[in-house]
Amino acid sequence: MNPKRIAVVAGDGIGKEVIPQAVHAVRATGAAVEFTEFDWSADRYLRDGTTIPPDGFAMLEREFDAALVGALGDPRVPSNIHAKEILLGMRFRMDLYANVRPVKLLDESLCPLKNTRPEDVNFTVIRENTEGIYVDVGGTFKQGTPDEIAINEDVNTRKGVERIIRYAFEYAQQNGRKRVLMADKSNVLTHAHGLWQRVFKEVAGEYPAIQPSHMYVDALCLQMVREPRQLEVIVTNNMFGDIITDLAAALQGGLGMAASGNIHPGKTSMFEPVHGSAPQLAGKNAANPIGAILTAAMMLEHLGLKQECDHIEQGVLAAVRERKLTTDAGGNLGTREVGGWIAQRIRG
Ligand code: NAD
Ligand code: IPM
Ligand code: MN
């Protein structure tokens, strides 16, 4: 089998520290993969004005099986233009419509809730990733005056809503899940989320073995904290998915533990931890590399390298059980030490 070709964009801040640890973990599995690094980041943008080269997205699709991305965002670029063009650029231009964010508690000690065990927090958020209020359609009028108007449109298409809802049911079916919950604000956003309601009912009808349910997103936030064990697969729009996955990350031990994939089945997909560049942590060897390492495991599974994915997950589980962790997760090690320990464990 030809090696899988992976484009690596470590990006900014702690992305530069956690991604090398994710790469070590993959190498430790002996997986047949080839990494190619790209320096797309705030540094590059500040140096020569490049966010992503003109042919960047097409090149990724043509020459790579997947992309592994750290984080983008730097206080020296207050407009966040490079992050928008690189990260949101990949999601939109490569049409990576399903943002899959598994929420899995690995050990009771990591959960901020009382008496909560790993089997109580084990669900997946399927976030729509190419539409909604993220499309950057809108504008300002009379800017800087007392009469200023600022508009961001919330775009929901029949095609976009249908494909993400269907993805969630397919995901449930393929992963032995029995329930799919849709979260929206159809009580207020009657047009946009009325569409979500209609399409959800229609698609759910095609999957009689899976129980559909619904919550308003505010009520879901309450239930995520009060009774997370009821959740299996959640499907929601771009903005709500962003917000609830930070809350979900807290349930599994913090942003440093959370992984994600930006997927279009059959196309070059992109994998990134849920966390950002955490500028205040950067350069201190303090960031938790586990979210990035689990992200690399997700990528391997997506590429058909299930055994290698399992080895990484077992290595991470061992690190959690033996407290080989950074301080955010209750340990006393640095980024490199945690990554090094996990890689060593994977090598066996
Ligand atoms: P953030 O995720 O960077 O940090 C939020 C909090 O979580 C901070 O307290 C941080 O120290 C902590 N944290 C995050 N990752 C951690 C890790 N691996 N280990 C330990 N602690 C960790 O979010 P923010 O502060 O809102 O944003 C910082 C920058 O990152 C901004 O520019 C933002 O736009 C960007 N951002 C990028 C991505 C991405 O590239 N996918 C995601 C979120 C935010
Ligand atoms: C995420 C991030 C991004 C988002 C930002 C950095 C654009 O918060 O991946 O969760 O809002 O999607
Ligand atoms: Mn986010």
Side-chain angles (χ1 to χ4, degrees), residues 12-73:
D12 301 326
I14 62 168
K16 288 192 196 336
E17 297 171 73
V18 298
I19 289 298
Q21 301 311 321
V23 168
H24 284 159
V26 174
R27 290 223 164 97
T29 67
V33 299
E34 228 171 62
F35 292 106
T36 306
E37 289 179 29
F38 294 90
D39 66 352
W40 307 333
S41 59
D43 282 343
R44 172 78 186 270
Y45 174 67
L46 292 168
R47 196 166 67 239
D48 69 7
T50 304
T51 56
I52 180 160
D55 182 42
F57 303 114
M59 182 271 298
L60 289 175
E61 290 183 331
R62 203 171 52 236
E63 293 174 25
F64 293 92
D65 296 298
L68 179 63
V69 175
L72 291 146

Side-chain angles (χ1 to χ4, degrees), residues 91 101 127 134 241-243 245-246 255 274:
R91 292 181 187 170
R101 297 187 157 182
R127 166 189 179 189
Y134 272 68
D242 178 44
I243 297 168
T245 52
D246 265 38
L255 273 167
V274 175

Side-chain angles (χ1 to χ4, degrees), residues 132-268:
I133 209 159
Y134 272 68
V135 294
D136 207 23
V137 173
T140 55
F141 182 46
K142 301 186 184 173
Q143 200 176 37
T145 76
D147 296 325
E148 178 163 355
I149 297 171
I151 296 173
N152 275 95
E153 296 286 358
D154 181 14
V155 174
N156 296 263
T157 68
R158 166 85 208 190
K159 172 183 153 191
V161 173
E162 186 177 333
R163 69 181 178 175
I164 195 65
I165 290 175
R166 182 161 280 112
Y167 188 98
F169 279 94
E170 288 291 322
Y171 180 94
Q173 199 167 56
Q174 282 159 29
N175 290 276
R177 301 300 196 133
K178 299 274 179 286
R179 284 181 293 177
V180 174
L181 180 146
M182 198 252 289
D184 65 22
K185 276 295 279 186
S186 49
N187 49 347
V188 179
L189 308 177
T190 46
H191 307 295
H193 293 183
L195 173 64
W196 279 76
Q197 283 283 335
R198 281 182 280 120
V199 174
F200 185 66
K201 287 197 180 80
E202 214 176 286
V203 175
E206 297 172 29
Y207 297 85
I210 294 168
Q211 188 193 327
S213 63
H214 170 262
M215 279 186 207
Y216 297 124
V217 70
D218 45 355
L220 172 63
C221 288
L222 175 77
Q223 293 305 327
M224 280 172 67
V225 173
R226 216 186 60 81
E227 184 80 13
R229 63 184 64 78
Q230 69 188 289
L231 304 168
E232 293 194 26
V233 176
I234 297 170
V235 62
T236 193
N237 65 72
N238 207 339
M239 176 61 95
F240 295 169
D242 178 44
I243 297 168
I244 68 170
T245 52
D246 265 38
L247 176 56
L251 297 176
Q252 46 183 154
L255 273 167
M257 302 296 298
S260 90
N262 299 261
I263 295 171
H264 184 129
K267 291 182 61 154
T268 302

Side-chain angles (χ1 to χ4, degrees), residues 318-341:
V320 169
R321 293 204 173 129
E322 298 190 29
R323 291 276 191 287
K324 304 296 181 192
L325 299 168
T326 45
T327 53
D328 57 295
N332 58 9
L333 300 183
T335 311
R336 287 189 294 273
E337 290 66 34
V338 172
W341 193 91

Side-chain angles (χ1 to χ4, degrees), residues 86-139:
I86 299 166
L87 185 73
L88 296 180
M90 286 186 199
R91 292 181 187 170
F92 284 84
R93 299 275 295 279
M94 294 162 72
D95 201 27
L96 306 176
Y97 68 87
N99 193 335
V100 179
R101 297 187 157 182
V103 184
K104 208 170 162 182
L105 176 63
L106 297 180
D107 189 80
E108 194 165 343
S109 62
L110 291 172
C111 191
L113 305 180
K114 283 184 297 210
N115 305 323
T116 305
R117 290 152 305 163
E119 59 270 31
D120 298 327
V121 180
N122 184 7
F123 61 93
T124 302
V125 177
I126 309 288
R127 166 189 179 189
E128 202 293 319
N129 215 26
T130 52
E131 319 195 319
I133 209 159
Y134 272 68
V135 294
D136 207 23
V137 173

